[in-house]
Amino acid sequence: MAVEKLFVLFRRCLLFTASMVAYTLPVLSQEIPKTDKQPLPQQTAANQVKPTQKIYSLNDMQSAFTSATYLLRTPREHNKVSQLSQATTPVMSVTDVKVNTTDKGIEIILVTPSSEKLSVSGKTEGNSYVADIKNAHFQLTSGESFQQSKPSAGIALVTVTNVDTNTVRLTVVGKTGAPAVELFDSQTEGLVFGVTSTATTQQTPGENPAIELEVIAPPDTGYRVPDATTGTRTNTLNRDIPQTVQVVPRAVIEDQADNRIGDVLRNLGIGQNSEPSRIGESVIIRGFDVEASNSLRDGLRDNFTSLIGTPFQNDLANIERVEVLRGPASVLYGNGSPGGVYNLITKQPLNTPYYSIQGNVGSYSLYKSSIDFSGPLTPDKKLLYRLNADYENSGSYINNVYVKRAFVAPVITWQPNQDTKLTISGEYLSSQRLDFSPVGLPAIGTILPNPNGKIPPNTYLGDPTLDKVKVTQGRAGYKFEHNFSDKWSLYNSFSYAFAERPYTTNITPTSLDADNRTVSRFDQIWGPTSFSNLSQDTHVVGKFNTFGLEHQLLVGVDWYQRIVSPYSFILRTFPSLDIYNPVYRQTPGDIFAGRKDKERIDDLGIYFQDQLAIAPNLKLVLGGRGDFEDQKIVATTLNNPESVTSQSNSAFSPRLARISHKQ
């Protein structure tokens, strides 16, 4: 009898326990409605959950969701480059903020190109609702924060800022009290916050809200880039770099229809040297000619822009942006000008299809066309491509002067997983032009009176039958990236570049004779020359904490080799030219000077750097670099025997800088 009573009591306890489980976990028996925006838990400012009115039995209960695929979002932006994160848990980029008016208040959308789930933690503080979004970083090109005042009645302010490198904070300030916020996850828009203001919820029937005027700023132009890699070899905010770093993004290049690097750098107050047509793209930064300095391409040394006698000019078709570091950069890139360096960042493949075809027609018979194609090559988007190409044919306001260029640049990226990425790229450029000396016309007859009359501005002082140059350039290289963990990453890059210039001649005017109409000239002949550059860089980036200090450590080694074989020229006399009655196709005179060189430079550099975050608004950058350079020049001059010059040098460059700013 006692056993039967004990069994009845046990059965009643079992039924009571099952009823309590069904009461406390009713959400497991509900299906998620198939709509665009799905409400997520912790949805209101008061954090209140309404109890269910129905108690389910164990037989009626459904299994819990075992997959979070319904939370995945489709990227809204279609022209974003897939970047490899340095963390195992990827830090997603918030690329835009949209504030829309609804019947209840406003709707705040954080647009992110990632399909990963964001972690959101919300709370109320006085009249404000504050939400921290983990594993996210705000990258709006118009600034490092978003702010909008009075988006609707009852809402005083909406702000979105970066708390640190992997946390974004959303703050909604109410006028009379904390707003009620409901969090949604949209499959087409991004992360959505539905905000109901206290003014909306407390408004009495028949009451009309106050009329407010709102001034909306122009749409973002994409002109501002908040971070760069040139100043530290790591992706760092410009405000945290202890030197002046300026960036000209692709939006500026396209809006201005720039054709040459000199056109782009004029945005930063940087000019070219006195002979841009014959000495490539050598520029002047802070009063120093960067011809002898480092011009960089994706962070690797690339000095083709300063080859004397070779009118090398980069093509902008595959350039995403141009970064300029002002001041000495030897601690990062070795031997160079104290004026600074500029770094050409190339376009990378996109993970969504992108197609662009452009054509330009301009003055002086300018015809230019270009294509930009990109997208995935496989359904899983692990293999991506990008192809840039253009063709240019143009004349000039000066008689006989022309330029013909053909350029193509393919890129392939393979990313088998989120921790590994390999990018292989190539370029080929063929340039043909009538090379003329930019000395210009004499002052007498142009800006000053000339008894013989005014000199036409389109007068050509060289010889169009001789002043021709053809240059062929090419590049090939790769970049490998791998994350060992969420703290340590490896980067390895290599580039081979070459330029070939056949026999070239150039007639150069020197001075105006006493008759004010005859110009003296001489002839420069450049022999066939081959240039080649080899650049390699390997570095490791690690993040860790010691004694409350955040470190970002950089340790690396790079190697650069430049070979010029041979570099030769001769100078010979050439008949004078009557400016007012030019006669071309004249016979050259005697040789009076000449030189032939072979040059090889090998430079090995070992560098380190530590970026310490002492406080959010106080950071230190310390580092150093050791360079070991060997140079050998074999020179032969006219009527002199061959001479060999060899030298080896080494130097150490230290760096210690403090960065402080207001939060």
Side-chain angles (χ1 to χ4, degrees):
M1 189 69 176
V3 175
E4 292 179 357
K5 292 182 178 180
L6 183 61
F7 176 76
V8 171
L9 180 61
F10 174 76
R11 185 175 62 179
R12 291 179 178 178
C13 291
L14 181 62
L15 293 176
F16 177 77
T17 302
S19 300
M20 290 301 295
V21 170
Y23 178 79
T24 57
L25 300 176
V27 70
L28 298 179
S29 64
Q30 302 177 15
E31 292 186 359
I32 301 298
K34 298 181 179 180
T35 61
D36 178 51
K37 299 176 182 176
Q38 306 296 345
L40 301 179
Q42 58 141 67
Q43 310 314 337
T44 65
N47 292 325
Q48 297 179 353
V49 179
K50 296 182 180 179
T52 183
Q53 302 299 323
K54 180 179 179 181
I55 299 177
Y56 293 86
S57 64
L58 288 176
N59 294 332
D60 296 331
M61 292 179 60
Q62 300 181 11
S63 300
F65 286 101
T66 60
S67 172
T69 55
Y70 70 94
L71 292 177
L72 295 180
R73 294 183 298 279
T74 302
R76 186 175 186 275
E77 303 270 343
H78 296 291
N79 192 22
K80 296 292 181 182
V81 179
S82 177
Q83 300 290 341
L84 178 68
S85 172
Q86 294 185 0
T88 302
T89 301
V91 177
M92 288 151 278
S93 299
V94 176
T95 58
D96 198 4
V97 179
K98 299 182 182 299
V99 179
N100 303 324
T101 304
T102 64
D103 55 350
K104 295 183 179 181
I106 61 173
E107 182 181 68
I108 305 172
I109 304 173
L110 303 185
V111 179
T112 171
S114 175
S115 61
E116 299 291 337
K117 179 181 177 182
L118 295 174
S119 176
V120 183
S121 175
K123 61 180 179 180
T124 58
E125 297 179 354
N127 289 352
S128 303
Y129 171 82
V130 180
D132 287 341
I133 300 98
K134 302 292 184 181
N135 300 328
H137 186 73
F138 192 52
Q139 292 186 338
L140 192 64
T141 55
S142 60
E144 299 174 7
S145 64
F146 171 87
Q147 178 174 310
Q148 183 170 339
S149 302
K150 301 179 181 180
S152 69
I155 303 299
L157 181 66
V158 175
T159 62
V160 181
T161 60
N162 285 318
V163 178
D164 49 41
T165 56
N166 61 352
T167 304
V168 174
R169 175 167 294 174
L170 167 69
T171 304
V172 184
V173 182
K175 291 184 177 180
T176 59
V181 179
E182 188 173 7
L183 180 62
F184 296 92
D185 194 19
S186 172
Q187 296 188 12
T188 59
E189 295 177 297
L191 193 60
V192 182
F193 293 82
V195 181
T196 303
S197 66
T198 53
T200 303
T201 56
Q202 297 176 3
Q203 182 175 328
T204 58
E207 181 181 356
N208 295 324
I211 298 177
E212 297 183 0
L213 297 179
E214 180 179 0
V215 179
I216 301 177
D220 173 42
T221 58
Y223 282 2
R224 188 176 184 275
V225 180
D227 49 21
T229 60
T230 306
T232 58
R233 283 188 182 261
T234 61
N235 193 20
T236 305
L237 293 174
N238 293 337
R239 68 176 188 178
D240 294 335
I241 298 175
Q243 285 180 262
T244 300
V245 177
Q246 297 171 291
V247 182
V248 182
R250 185 68 194 180
V252 174
I253 298 175
E254 292 181 348
D255 290 350
Q256 294 182 345
D258 293 332
N259 291 323
R260 301 292 180 263
I261 294 298
D263 301 333
V264 178
L265 295 180
R266 275 199 294 268
N267 291 278
L268 309 179
I270 297 175
Q272 288 188 312
N273 61 13
S274 60
E275 296 184 295
S277 70
R278 295 177 54 211
I279 312 184
E281 292 167 344
S282 178
V283 300
I284 298 174
I285 302 178
R286 289 188 170 179
F288 292 92
D289 195 338
V290 188
E291 174 188 340
S293 172
N294 301 327
S295 57
L296 308 175
R297 197 174 189 88
D298 292 327
L300 295 176
R301 291 176 63 175
D302 182 74
N303 287 346
F304 273 179
T305 57
S306 61
L307 298 179
I308 298 178
T310 300
F312 182 94
Q313 292 180 329
N314 284 284
D315 200 288
L316 297 179
N318 68 328
I319 301 301
E320 182 65 30
R321 66 183 185 273
V322 180
E323 299 179 357
V324 175
L325 174 64
R326 294 178 181 266
S330 56
V331 70
L332 291 172
Y333 305 107
N335 176 39
S337 166
V341 300
Y342 64 91
N343 188 12
L344 307 181
I345 308 299
T346 59
K347 295 180 180 179
Q348 298 300 302
L350 308 175
N351 59 8
T352 54
Y354 175 77
Y355 308 98
S356 174
I357 300 177
Q358 296 183 356
N360 296 328
V361 178
S363 303
Y364 308 113
S365 302
L366 169 64
Y367 301 96
K368 184 175 182 179
S369 60
S370 61
I371 63 171
D372 185 358
F373 296 164
S374 186
L377 292 174
T378 57
D380 58 5
K381 298 185 178 181
K382 293 183 178 180
L383 191 63
L384 311 175
Y385 83 97
R386 191 154 194 170
L387 177 64
N388 286 276
D390 70 1
Y391 174 79
E392 177 184 346
N393 190 335
S394 65
S396 171
Y397 73 94
I398 301 177
N399 291 338
N400 305 307
V401 174
Y402 69 91
V403 174
K404 294 181 180 179
R405 294 162 57 94
F407 174 78
V408 61
V411 185
I412 297 292
T413 293
W414 177 53
Q415 187 170 350
N417 53 63
Q418 66 177 8
D419 292 326
T420 304
K421 182 167 73 171
L422 175 65
T423 300
I424 301 175
S425 60
E427 293 182 14
Y428 180 82
L429 172 64
S430 177
S431 174
Q432 182 177 348
R433 62 187 299 163
L434 181 70
D435 192 22
F436 69 99
S437 174
V439 174
L441 299 175
I444 299 177
T446 53
I447 61 176
L448 298 177
N450 189 318
N452 299 294
K454 188 175 181 61
I455 301 175
N458 60 350
T459 303
Y460 184 70
L461 301 182
D463 194 314
T465 62
L466 298 175
D467 296 341
K468 296 180 181 179
V469 59
K470 181 178 181 181
V471 179
T472 301
Q473 302 111 12
R475 289 186 179 90
Y478 71 85
K479 183 177 183 180
F480 175 76
E481 309 171 47
H482 180 70
N483 294 327
F484 296 107
S485 65
D486 59 342
K487 301 296 185 182
W488 293 92
S489 302
L490 170 70
Y491 300 87
N492 175 252
S493 302
F494 172 81
S495 174
Y496 167 72
F498 71 91
E500 295 182 351
R501 182 202 63 203
Y503 175 90
T504 302
T505 184
N506 174 253
I507 310 301
T508 304
T510 57
S511 61
L512 183 65
D513 294 348
D515 61 0
N516 290 324
R517 62 180 302 137
T518 305
V519 175
S520 299
R521 302 180 297 175
F522 69 92
D523 185 14
Q524 301 181 73
I525 301 176
W526 305 92
T529 305
S530 176
F531 306 84
S532 66
N533 284 348
L534 289 173
S535 299
Q536 184 275 336
D537 174 74
T538 302
H539 63 266
V540 176
V541 177
K543 298 180 180 180
F544 56 92
N545 296 334
T546 59
F547 306 106
L549 299 178
E550 296 182 4
H551 297 259
Q552 183 169 245
L553 181 65
L554 169 72
V555 179
V557 57
D558 61 21
W559 172 69
Y560 170 76
Q561 181 186 84
R562 176 178 178 178
I563 298 177
V564 181
S565 178
Y567 169 73
S568 63
F569 70 91
I570 61 174
L571 304 180
R572 59 184 179 180
T573 60
F574 203 82
S576 300
L577 180 73
D578 185 345
I579 298 179
Y580 296 94
N581 185 26
V583 177
Y584 302 117
R585 297 180 178 272
Q586 300 190 45
T587 303
D590 298 328
I591 297 175
F592 63 89
R595 183 182 179 91
K596 182 177 182 180
D597 291 352
K598 293 182 180 180
E599 180 185 20
R600 174 169 176 162
I601 298 176
D602 290 276
D603 190 349
L604 176 67
I606 302 174
Y607 57 90
F608 71 92
Q609 175 184 267
D610 191 6
Q611 296 172 260
L612 295 89
I614 300 176
N617 61 340
L618 179 61
K619 299 182 180 181
L620 292 179
V621 177
L622 58 90
R625 175 187 172 101
D627 277 287
F628 309 89
E629 182 174 289
D630 294 322
Q631 183 184 43
K632 181 178 180 180
I633 300 176
V634 180
T636 303
T637 58
L638 192 65
N639 301 323
N640 288 309
E642 181 179 273
S643 63
V644 179
T645 303
S646 299
Q647 60 178 343
S648 297
N649 296 300
S650 62
F652 178 77
S653 304
R655 185 185 207 185
L656 177 61
R658 177 179 68 101
I659 307 100
S660 60
H661 51 76
K662 295 182 180 180
Q663 288 184 287

